Amino acid sequence: MSIFLMDDRQHCVYMNAAAEKLTGYTLAEVMGRPLHDVIHHTHPDGSHFPLEECPIDRAFPEEHQVQGEEVFVHKNGSFYPVAFTASPIQDEWKNHRHHYRGAGHQR
């Protein structure tokens, strides 16, 4: 399973080896960048996919878990379908710390 963690600005702060393999990017290449801008920025028809319209990235500000299927963009420019779960992670005082995005597998 691919695992990504993002901070409150949607910047990637962690991705496991499975996520690196899935996306074609290393953590060093995406660190500190909005993950959406790296792997989810374009619809398969080539049109821009704004962060504000992304159901995955709404999980953090709306404070709820989101699951579904989407299409990501590989480093090589190819598109690939994924099933995902995105959830905000809170500490015991309900302060948001990170946003978890898990892309379970290619469909």
Side-chain angles (χ1 to χ4, degrees):
M1 176 184 342
S2 299
I3 298 175
F4 307 86
L5 285 178
M6 295 172 291
D7 64 16
D8 59 345
R9 297 172 300 148
Q10 307 293 21
H11 291 194
C12 188
V13 296
Y14 172 80
M15 60 193 292
N16 67 359
E20 290 180 335
K21 182 177 179 182
L22 182 71
T23 64
Y25 290 95
T26 65
L27 175 60
E29 291 174 298
V30 301
M31 182 74 85
R33 297 171 61 190
L35 190 59
H36 179 89
D37 293 351
V38 179
I39 63 169
H40 204 201
H41 51 77
T42 305
H43 290 287
D45 67 5
S47 62
H48 177 67
F49 189 6
L51 176 68
E52 301 79 35
E53 295 176 12
C54 179
I56 297 171
D57 290 283
R58 284 198 305 254
F60 191 80
E62 294 178 9
E63 299 183 15
H64 69 275
Q65 184 180 75
V66 178
Q67 293 180 316
E69 296 180 350
E70 282 288 340
V71 177
F72 287 174
V73 184
H74 193 273
K75 183 178 181 178
N76 68 13
S78 64
F79 293 92
Y80 57 97
V82 296
F84 72 87
T85 299
S87 302
I89 298 173
Q90 299 175 330
D91 64 18
E92 64 269 23
W93 299 283
K94 301 224 183 252
N95 294 315
H96 292 355
R97 294 295 180 207
H98 291 95
H99 176 182
Y100 159 80
R101 177 189 289 195
H105 53 82
Q106 285 184 265
R107 286 189 288 146

